[in-house]
Amino acid sequence: MKLCWLDVRTTGPSRAAILEEALHQRVDGVVADDPAVLADLPPTVTKVLLPRGKPLPETLEGVDVLVVDPDRDANAAELAARYPSVEIGRFVEIIDADTLELACQAARTERWSVLLFRDPTKIPLEIVIAAAARATGSIVTIAADVEEAEIIYGVLELGSDGVLMAPAKVGDATALKAAAIATTPELDLVELRVTKTTHIGMGERACVDTCTYFREDEGILVGSHSKGMILCVSETHPLPYMPTRPFRVNAGAIHSYTLSQDERTNYLSELKAGSKVLAVDVKGQTRLVTVGRVKIETRPLISIDAVAPNGTEVNLILQDDWHVRVLGPGAAVLNSTELRPDDVVLGYLPSADRHVGYPINEFCLEK
């Protein structure tokens, strides 16, 4: 989980409300330039003093981390001796090659590195993250808003260890915390026994082209019903007459559900460039991937019926073609047109019914 630090130095009259929201959302740290602001905060939050341009106080009672600029303040050794109960961090503002090298040095050696990048490009942050790959300290990068924070969390795949952001209004702390914990769950996949396949004629199917290469044991979950889905493999495996397209899943008929962010389902027909879908491997490990394009075309369709060990019936309608595939146990790649009764495929059984894609506890019968 990424760190979420909230800067309340410039929040003004709304500070009390923002702090209340921050504590409710369990942000990891609160940053101030006055120890008095931090004094009444509970021990569940890291209390960070960043006194840029202000003299250092005599004592730091109640402060957990002191972040200083070595060019203006005493060096780390002197500060550690002066404040033995406080962790010392280093602030670096990156404006050129020399300050970028200072940031890399801090990231390699300091317990905390708070970095402010003045240029909009994220390449300097990539360099710092790479330079600190073996370091044990934490990099906290300053973001202007939640949108930038989301980018910072993902830079160079690893991302910054944390983000420091000054909220503009109540609600920003909640949004920042959501960006910090944007992880995807592991799913308990089940083995489904095929009971019947039926050629059902023409209809529209969707190919989901993502901005990511899928692995050979990975695809997306697709199903006609919200409570049962089958794992459709991406086109990472060789096919006759055509090159592999490891970014694509030939996913199913347009009415089908797939899983996306926050346990939500989407119809394949409503996905578009920029949508998020959940990539799933045969172990149930997941990650969010971004849709680059959805291709909807008229094709012959095949209906696959299967049953779970608990009796749940699952249906998936696919393009009726040999090269459209699903995954079985052990990452076996199964051609949809060759499936027969008693063959076993991998699937997932969401526990909740759906209303406009969101899980909901209500009666819902799907046939």
Side-chain angles (χ1 to χ4, degrees):
M1 185 182 298
K2 298 294 187 178
L3 295 172
C4 172
W5 283 11
L6 211 65
D7 186 353
V8 299
R9 291 177 298 167
T10 59
T11 48
S14 60
R15 177 180 291 168
I18 287 173
L19 280 173
E20 183 178 354
E21 178 195 9
L23 296 177
H24 178 72
Q25 293 297 329
R26 298 183 180 273
V27 299
D28 302 286
V30 171
V31 178
D33 54 11
D34 183 351
V37 176
L38 304 171
D40 295 329
L41 296 178
T44 53
V45 64
T46 299
K47 294 174 276 294
V48 183
L49 187 68
L50 181 55
R52 294 200 69 208
K54 291 188 174 183
L56 295 175
E58 290 298 321
T59 63
L60 291 181
E61 185 176 353
V63 174
D64 300 312
V65 179
L66 171 64
V67 179
V68 296
D69 184 342
D71 292 337
R72 289 185 295 193
D73 302 310
N75 64 45
E78 293 174 354
L79 292 170
R82 184 175 173 181
Y83 307 112
S85 63
V86 176
E87 295 182 346
I88 306 300
R90 183 173 181 177
F91 172 86
V92 183
E93 182 176 359
I94 297 91
I95 58 174
D96 53 23
D98 290 339
T99 50
L100 177 59
E101 179 54 35
L102 287 177
C104 291
Q105 178 186 358
R108 286 192 295 262
T109 61
E110 304 293 342
R111 173 65 184 89
W112 299 100
S113 302
V114 176
L115 308 180
L116 173 59
F117 294 88
R118 286 302 184 185
D119 291 331
T121 173
K122 294 299 181 285
I123 291 176
L125 177 56
E126 292 181 6
I127 294 170
V128 174
I129 291 172
R134 295 180 177 85
T136 58
S138 296
I139 300 169
V140 179
T141 305
I142 296 175
D145 50 36
V146 174
E147 183 177 2
E148 185 180 17
E150 292 176 343
I151 296 170
I152 289 171
Y153 281 133
V155 165
L156 211 64
E157 294 190 37
L158 298 173
S160 178
D161 299 303
V163 162
L164 167 59
M165 188 190 80
K169 60 185 183 304
V170 173
D172 285 353
T174 300
L176 180 62
K177 185 64 176 181
I181 61 173
T183 57
T184 57
E186 288 194 10
L187 303 180
D188 293 324
L189 300 186
V190 298
E191 295 185 0
L192 307 172
R193 181 177 56 84
V194 175
T195 57
K196 183 175 64 172
T197 62
T198 310
H199 304 280
I200 60 173
M202 303 297 289
E204 279 69 62
R205 68 94 176 97
C207 283
V208 180
D209 293 346
T210 71
C211 301
T212 301
Y213 282 126
F214 287 94
R215 299 188 299 270
E216 291 185 349
D217 64 347
E218 194 178 32
I220 66 175
L221 289 160
V222 187
S224 296
H225 307 140
S226 63
K227 286 192 174 181
M229 301 177 183
I230 292 174
L231 186 54
C232 296
V233 70
S234 61
E235 294 185 6
T236 57
H237 300 272
L239 293 165
Y241 312 114
M242 58 190 298
T244 60
R245 295 184 175 92
F247 53 83
R248 167 176 292 178
V249 180
N250 191 327
I254 54 174
H255 73 284
S256 307
Y257 284 120
T258 191
L259 288 179
S260 59
Q261 198 167 10
D262 300 326
E263 298 186 70
R264 189 176 181 183
T265 56
N266 286 103
Y267 296 120
L268 294 182
S269 59
E270 68 187 10
L271 296 177
K272 58 185 179 180
S275 297
K276 304 289 187 180
V277 293
L278 202 64
V280 185
D281 70 14
V282 295
K283 296 179 181 178
Q285 298 175 345
T286 67
R287 57 184 176 132
L288 275 180
V289 297
T290 302
V291 175
R293 171 180 54 245
V294 176
K295 288 184 64 182
I296 296 175
E297 298 163 310
T298 302
R299 295 290 188 268
L301 301 177
I302 184 171
S303 175
I304 300 166
D305 292 309
V307 63
N310 67 359
T312 299
E313 295 181 348
V314 177
N315 176 265
L316 171 63
I317 295 177
L318 293 170
Q319 180 179 339
D320 192 347
D321 196 289
W322 178 88
H323 80 277
V324 180
R325 296 155 160 179
V326 298
L327 284 168
V333 180
L334 307 173
N335 303 311
S336 61
T337 55
E338 294 182 351
L339 288 173
R340 299 292 182 266
D342 292 326
D343 286 344
V344 178
V345 300
L346 289 176
Y348 176 62
L349 306 178
S351 59
D353 292 306
R354 303 283 158 163
H355 181 66
V356 293
Y358 291 102
I360 186 172
N361 184 21
E362 69 171 4
F363 172 77
C364 178
L365 177 62
E366 296 177 292
K367 295 184 177 181

